């Protein structure tokens, strides 16, 4: 079988290695991407037009999309006339890394013969926080009392997602401050049971990091949970870096969190398509109580509304248990603007700082 590999350049190497090792019957005729960049004059690459010509000439049998989470890529390839369009699920590279490749795998599939992939999913372990950041994009400083995640619905929702998607690349457990939740391990275990090869990232402000119990530290290390630590000015980053090294944790200190952004337009007269296209949060698929949306706003704007007596639309999201819903359909709907986008504006950056009540609407509104 002669095929062209299509997808992001940084994934070419893994795809070639997997197919060369486990599918020697597949001959890779060329490597292709929307933008070949420095590789456009390489003898190993072909443009999308050249790949289509090879297909029509019968020199290749199809094309492999190695970005299984990218609905646009599948749609583009189908509209150009490629058939079949294959997919090489990304989790095979992770299985290879962990030495867990199953025998008898086909490795490539016509893409509609296998569940699709989702790029990322965010979930709040706690809506509230132990730090009052000015203009918190999740409105955690406006949460009037502790709000923790509900475990049983989360467990059900993850199982439902496993019936819709073959793989979710990255789970973000955040808040608020996720380490305020005493049951972190239970949530990680549920994710690992259904999506064993997903990257799990716990996003924390770092305040509780040094006081974590030894059993939690060991659990996070064993389960490959990555700590993404917002390096705010109030942290002793040297002490935290030493703690990470001492315990062999997967972690990074995000120094870019020295800057926040205001983004709300309570008048609701923004162009949804324009806002969605430039939005940095549009691919941050958020899960809450059996529903998902392209960002967290439908799930947390209630706190802004309650505090400032506003009426920005709430709960505009997709029901995971909607009859006949498929992963492919869900992918498609997550890349469309929401009505809620009318209430967002282009981001306006400002330096991070701690705030205190009474809070000002101007901390969020452009």
């Amino acid at each position: 079988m002669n095929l062209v590999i299509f997808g992001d350049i940084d994934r070419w190497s893994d795809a070639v290695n997997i197919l060369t090792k486990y599918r020697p019957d597949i001959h890779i005729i060329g490597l292709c991407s929307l933008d070949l960049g420095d590789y456009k004059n390489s003898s190993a690459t072909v443009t999308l037009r050249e790949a289509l010509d090879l297909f029509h000439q019968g020199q290749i049998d199809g094309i492999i999309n190695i970005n299984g989470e990218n609905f646009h890529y599948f749609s583009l390839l189908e509209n150009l006339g490629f058939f079949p369009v294959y997919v090489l699920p990304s989790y095979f590279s992770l299985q290879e890394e962990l030495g867990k490749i199953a025998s008898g795998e086909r490795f490539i599939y016509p893409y509609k013969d296998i569940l699709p992939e989702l790029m990322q999913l965010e979930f709040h372990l706690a809506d509230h926080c132990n730090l009052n950041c000015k203009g918190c994009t999740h409105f955690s400083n406006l949460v009037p009392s502790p709000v923790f995640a509900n475990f049983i619905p989360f467990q059900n929702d993850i199982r439902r997602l496993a019936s819709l998607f073959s793989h979710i690349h990255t789970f973000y457990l955040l808040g608020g401050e996720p380490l305020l939740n005493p049951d972190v391990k239970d949530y990680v275990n549920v994710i690992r049971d259904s999506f064993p090869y997903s990257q799990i990232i716990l996003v924390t402000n770092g305040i509780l990091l040094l006081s974590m119990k030894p059993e939690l530290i060991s659990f996070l290390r064993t389960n490959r949970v990555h700590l993404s630590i917002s390096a705010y000015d109030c942290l002793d980053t040297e002490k935290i870096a030493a703690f990470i090294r001492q315990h062999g944790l997967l972690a990074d200190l995000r120094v870019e969190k020295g800057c926040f952004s205001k983004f709300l337009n309570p008048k609701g007269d923004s162009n949804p398509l324009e806002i969605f296209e430039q939005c940095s949060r549009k691919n941050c698929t958020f899960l809450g109580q059996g529903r998902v949306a392209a960002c967290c706003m439908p799930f947390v704007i209630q706190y802004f509304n309650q505090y400032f007596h506003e009426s920005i639309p709430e709960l505009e999201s997709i029901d995971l248990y909607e009859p006949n819903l498929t992963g492919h359909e869900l992918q498609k709907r997550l890349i469309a603007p929401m009505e809620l986008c009318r209430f967002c504006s282009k981001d306006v950056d400002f330096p991070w700082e701690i705030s205190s009540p009474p809070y000002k609407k101007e901390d969020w509104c452009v």
Side-chain angles (χ1 to χ4, degrees):
M1 182 183 291
N2 297 327
L3 297 170
V4 163
I5 288 176
F6 173 79
D8 293 348
I9 291 173
D10 60 1
R11 298 192 188 182
W12 284 352
S13 179
D14 283 345
V16 170
N17 289 340
I18 289 290
L19 294 176
T20 300
K21 184 172 182 179
Y22 296 101
R23 288 296 303 270
D25 58 309
I26 293 176
H27 303 287
I28 302 167
I29 302 303
L31 305 171
C32 184
S33 181
L34 284 181
D35 183 2
L36 292 173
D38 294 338
Y39 297 93
K40 62 184 178 181
N41 296 319
S42 169
S43 60
T45 63
V46 294
T47 66
L48 201 50
R49 170 51 60 186
E50 289 169 339
L52 191 60
D53 290 341
L54 291 172
F55 180 68
H56 289 316
Q57 294 163 11
Q59 296 185 50
I60 61 172
D61 302 296
I63 193 165
I64 309 172
N65 177 16
I66 57 174
N67 289 78
E69 77 289 351
N70 193 319
F71 177 83
H72 285 300
Y73 281 4
F74 288 119
S75 179
L76 171 65
L77 295 172
E78 279 195 323
N79 289 338
L80 286 173
F82 285 102
F83 183 82
V85 176
Y86 293 97
V87 60
L88 173 65
S90 62
Y91 53 79
F92 287 131
S93 294
L94 298 165
Q95 288 179 336
E96 166 78 3
E97 184 180 330
L98 296 171
K100 295 185 177 181
I101 291 283
S103 60
E105 277 289 359
R106 292 164 55 190
F107 291 95
I108 66 164
Y109 301 82
Y111 90 91
K112 289 188 177 177
D113 288 359
I114 189 171
L115 294 176
E117 302 174 26
L118 187 64
M119 187 63 195
Q120 70 177 60
L121 192 71
E122 296 186 351
F123 181 77
H124 271 193
L125 290 183
D127 286 358
H128 59 294
C129 194
N130 53 357
L131 189 63
N132 286 335
C133 297
K134 175 183 174 182
C136 172
T137 54
H138 289 217
F139 310 105
S140 297
N141 49 343
L142 302 182
V143 180
S145 58
V147 177
F148 291 105
N150 193 326
F151 179 73
I152 297 301
F154 174 79
Q155 186 177 50
N156 294 336
D157 293 347
I158 294 300
R159 289 172 179 168
R160 171 59 175 158
L161 284 163
S163 74
L164 298 172
F165 296 102
S166 61
H167 179 55
I168 297 179
H169 291 228
T170 306
F171 276 88
Y172 288 94
L173 298 176
L174 34 73
E177 173 48 50
L179 287 176
L180 289 170
N181 192 317
D183 301 318
V184 172
K185 293 190 290 186
D186 293 338
Y187 289 88
V188 171
N189 280 331
V190 167
I191 295 170
R192 278 282 172 255
D193 284 345
S194 292
F195 296 98
Y197 303 107
S198 294
Q199 181 182 35
I200 301 175
I201 298 179
L202 191 148
V203 182
T204 174
N205 61 32
I207 292 175
L208 297 175
L209 202 63
L210 302 181
S211 60
M212 284 195 304
K213 295 180 179 179
E215 55 266 33
L216 179 56
I217 295 172
S218 176
F219 175 85
L220 295 176
R221 185 174 54 242
T222 301
N223 284 276
R224 312 185 312 280
V225 177
H226 188 105
L227 297 170
S228 183
I229 305 159
S230 303
Y232 300 128
D233 291 344
C234 59
L235 291 184
D236 186 336
T237 53
E238 290 187 6
K239 185 177 291 188
I240 287 176
F243 179 87
I244 292 167
R245 291 193 298 270
Q246 176 187 351
H247 294 286
L249 292 168
L250 295 170
D252 69 284
L253 283 164
R254 294 187 296 146
V255 295
E256 74 276 7
K257 294 306 292 181
C259 182
F260 268 42
S261 300
K262 57 174 67 178
F263 61 94
L264 283 182
N265 170 23
K267 293 182 294 183
D269 58 1
S270 297
N271 182 311
L273 183 59
E274 289 181 2
I275 293 300
F276 189 78
E277 286 179 347
Q278 60 84 43
C279 182
S280 61
R281 295 170 286 276
K282 66 181 177 184
N283 294 317
C284 302
T285 306
F286 195 93
L287 169 68
Q289 299 294 318
R291 306 184 72 88
V292 294
C295 72
C296 70
M297 286 288 288
F299 302 94
V300 297
I301 193 63
Q302 59 177 310
Y303 298 120
F304 179 88
N305 284 341
Q306 291 166 7
Y307 193 89
F308 295 110
H309 308 290
E310 290 285 350
S311 56
I312 296 175
E314 301 175 12
L315 301 178
E316 184 185 1
S317 52
I318 304 166
D319 184 356
L320 282 177
Y321 300 90
E322 180 182 303
N324 303 316
L325 181 68
T326 67
H328 292 290
E329 175 64 20
L330 187 52
Q331 271 187 327
K332 183 178 179 180
R333 289 164 64 179
L334 284 170
I335 60 174
M338 298 182 287
E339 182 68 13
L340 186 54
C341 296
R342 294 193 298 109
F343 294 85
C344 284
S345 181
K346 293 182 179 180
D347 289 359
V348 176
D349 294 343
F350 61 88
W352 173 86
E353 62 179 284
I354 292 175
S355 61
S356 58
Y359 301 107
K360 300 177 182 178
K361 190 186 297 187
E362 292 73 26
D363 291 350
W364 289 270
C365 299
V366 175

